[in-house]
Structures are given as C-alpha cells and as structure tokens.
Amino acid sequence: MDSDATNRLAPHEIAFLRGGRRAAVTVAVLALRARGAVGPGRGGTMRTTGPAHGAGADLPALPHLTKTVHAALYRPAGMRQLLDREPVALALIDLRYELTVAGLLRVFPPGRTRAGRRALRDLRDRHPLPATGRGLSFDDRLLAVALYGDRALTRLMPRFAREGGLLGRGGTTERELPQSWGGGSGGFSCASV
C-alpha cells in the first residue's frame, strides 16, 4: 500500500486497524459528538442529542459505521451494549472486510498485514501524539484518537471520555430497562446470529 492510499484512510478505519472494534466505534462516537449528535447519558452511557447531519452543510458525509452508531443510540447505551447491538456489529464486520480486501488486515491468523503495520507506522511518523489539545482542530483530535487510542482520548477529550463511558468498562443501561420477557435464560442474542 502506497502513502497515497494511507492518506485516504478515514479515522474510523485507522482506529479499527490499530485497535479493533471498540476503537472504531469510539472514533465514530467522537465524530458524532463533533456534530452535536451524541452526548453523555446517565451512568457512563452515550445518547443521541440531535440529528447526525450536523449544523453545517459544509460537513463531509458520514461513513456507514458512524451513521449506524448514531441510529443504534436510539436508546442510551454504554460501549459494551453499543458494540453488541446488531446493526453496529454488522457494520463492523463490513469494515473488517473492507480493510481485509484493501490488504491491511488478514483473516488467518487475524491481525494486521505488513502493509497495515506500515500504514500505521507512517501515519504515526507524520502525526505524533500531541502534548495538549490547544490549537488542534477536531479532525486533528479525531486522528490522534484513531492513532493513539486511550492515551489521546484522556489527553484531548477527558471530560466526554469519562462522562460518556468511553474509557474502562463503560456504563450500562440494561439493568435499568424493564425486561418484558421475564427472567428466563431463553432469548435472542446478537452472538447467536
């Protein structure tokens, strides 16, 4: 993969390449946060706060994963619940497939290819971890989180990361919701699909 192709990677793709599913969803949530579409909920959860299209017509179109994350937050969720919601899980499978076809990930054994490792190394060489968030555009912050994960998140967006449950185990709303199907062990699970 040449450096032009590396430059075309979107932040959520870079995050998936670096840290997998959770990293990609974190970047998608932050992109929605920048548009005013997602905010922190109660107990370390995230929730929608507005439409995903944002306030300005000059904003770029949202990637499929980001749209899916916004739609999946129809009900507040912690990171674990968000990752388990079927539309998000399917969007992440599509993203993995696209990165595999691009030659950045391999199927067996799972992991980055040599081109994937080189792409991350090249991006990190060109974009070192910022010491502070002063003077950084939101796109630069998003790229830093995509490349460096929790280190950048705690350094550049600590309040939302804490309140939205993006760090650690994340919040949960599942125990607060009434369970209409009772307490039995039978039921539908995304893992069984």
Side-chain angles (χ1 to χ4, degrees), residues 84 86 89-90 185-193:
D84 286 343
E86 187 174 7
L90 293 173
S185 61
F188 179 75
S189 166
C190 290
S192 64
V193 174

Side-chain angles (χ1 to χ4, degrees), residues 3-192:
S3 77
D4 287 339
T6 300
N7 289 333
R8 289 191 300 261
L9 288 174
H12 69 282
E13 294 169 324
I14 295 166
F16 193 98
L17 189 58
R18 178 197 50 80
R21 296 167 14 107
R22 184 180 179 111
V25 170
T26 297
V27 167
V29 166
L30 294 175
L32 289 165
R33 173 76 172 162
R35 292 170 178 254
V38 168
R42 290 187 309 194
T45 63
M46 298 162 281
R47 63 182 179 83
T48 57
T49 56
H53 58 74
D58 60 337
L59 291 171
L62 288 173
H64 174 66
L65 176 63
T66 307
K67 290 179 193 175
T68 303
V69 166
H70 185 262
L73 285 171
Y74 63 92
R75 183 174 75 208
M79 182 59 79
R80 186 176 37 216
Q81 289 77 34
L82 186 56
L83 286 166
D84 286 343
R85 291 189 176 164
E86 187 174 7
V88 174
L90 293 173
L92 288 165
I93 289 169
D94 290 345
L95 181 56
R96 175 182 290 280
Y97 175 76
E98 291 167 11
L99 292 171
T100 301
V101 169
L104 299 171
L105 292 176
R106 64 178 176 268
V107 177
F108 188 79
R112 290 180 220 115
T113 62
R114 183 177 299 166
R117 290 188 301 273
R118 185 174 43 243
L120 281 177
R121 186 179 56 245
D122 291 349
L123 283 164
R124 284 182 175 149
D125 287 347
R126 288 194 316 255
H127 305 281
L129 178 63
T132 68
R134 279 196 195 116
L136 289 179
S137 70
F138 197 84
D139 288 341
D140 290 339
R141 291 172 190 246
L142 201 59
L143 180 60
V145 172
L147 285 170
Y148 298 101
D150 289 350
R151 290 187 302 157
L153 191 58
T154 56
R155 191 176 290 182
L156 304 175
M157 297 175 229
R159 185 174 177 186
F160 179 68
R162 184 180 61 255
E163 291 174 357
L166 294 177
L167 298 172
R169 292 177 44 170
T172 179
T173 60
E174 301 302 318
R175 67 180 171 277
E176 299 170 6
L177 299 172
Q179 305 295 328
S180 62
W181 57 84
S185 61
F188 179 75
S189 166
C190 290
S192 64

